[in-house]
Amino acid sequence: KKHRIKNTSILIRTHQSMACTMINANKSLTHREYELFYSYNELLNCIEEDIYDLIQSFESMEYTQGERIMDDLVDAFIQIDTTHSGMFHVAGDDEHLQNQILLFDQIIGELKPFTLNKDDTLSFQIYIKDELSVLFIQWKNEVQAYLSPYLLH
C-alpha cells in the first residue's frame, strides 16, 4: 500500500457538499499548484482506504498486517503534515480552506497518546474504529469540498 499512497494517477473522486457553494475558486492555479492540490486530494483518498483496511485487519488479518498498514498511515499523515505549508500558501486568501488545513493538527493531537502506548491493543483498535476513522473522514470530506472547485476550475 505504501506505493499506492505515493501514486497520484488515481482518478479524482470529488465529494459534493454545501460548503462548495461558499467557496471562491476564482484564483487561477499554476500547473505546479494544481498538481499539489491533486496529489493532496489523492493522498486523502488513499488514507481513507488504508483506514478501512486497518479496521478490517483487526478482525481478519494477522496483527503484523495491521501493523504494516498502521505504519503506512503514519507515513501518509507525515506526508500530509509536510504538504500543509505549501497548501496553506497556495490557498492564499481562501480562509475556509486554510482553516480546514489547520484542523488536521487536531486529528494528529488525538492520535498521539496511542502512538506512545501501543501495548493496549484493544483500546487502540476501538479508538481507530470509533474515533480516528470518523474524525478523519469528516475532515477529509470537508477539505475535499473546498479543494473540488480548484480541481474542476
Side-chain angles (χ1 to χ4, degrees), residues 70-119:
M70 185 63 200
D71 289 344
D72 287 352
L73 279 172
V74 169
D75 288 346
F77 280 180
I78 290 169
Q79 283 183 338
I80 286 176
D81 197 45
T82 302
T83 305
H84 275 170
S85 62
M87 292 285 296
F88 198 83
H89 177 72
V90 173
D93 295 332
D94 189 337
E95 287 183 43
H96 298 290
L97 179 55
Q98 288 179 334
N99 288 335
Q100 288 301 315
I101 291 169
L102 293 175
L103 287 175
F104 183 74
D105 291 339
Q106 291 178 359
I107 293 172
I108 295 297
E110 293 285 324
L111 185 59
K112 266 188 183 164
F114 290 95
T115 59
L116 300 175
N117 183 14
K118 288 186 178 180
D119 296 334

Side-chain angles (χ1 to χ4, degrees), residues 3 37-38 84 86 105 145:
H3 69 279
F37 278 21
Y38 179 85
H84 275 170
D105 291 339

Side-chain angles (χ1 to χ4, degrees), residues 10 14 19 28 34 37 45 75 79 97 112 121 129 133 142:
I10 304 168
T14 59
S28 294
Y34 176 84
F37 278 21
N45 290 332
D75 288 346
Q79 283 183 338
L97 179 55
K112 266 188 183 164
T121 307
K129 186 176 179 181
S133 64
E142 286 299 314

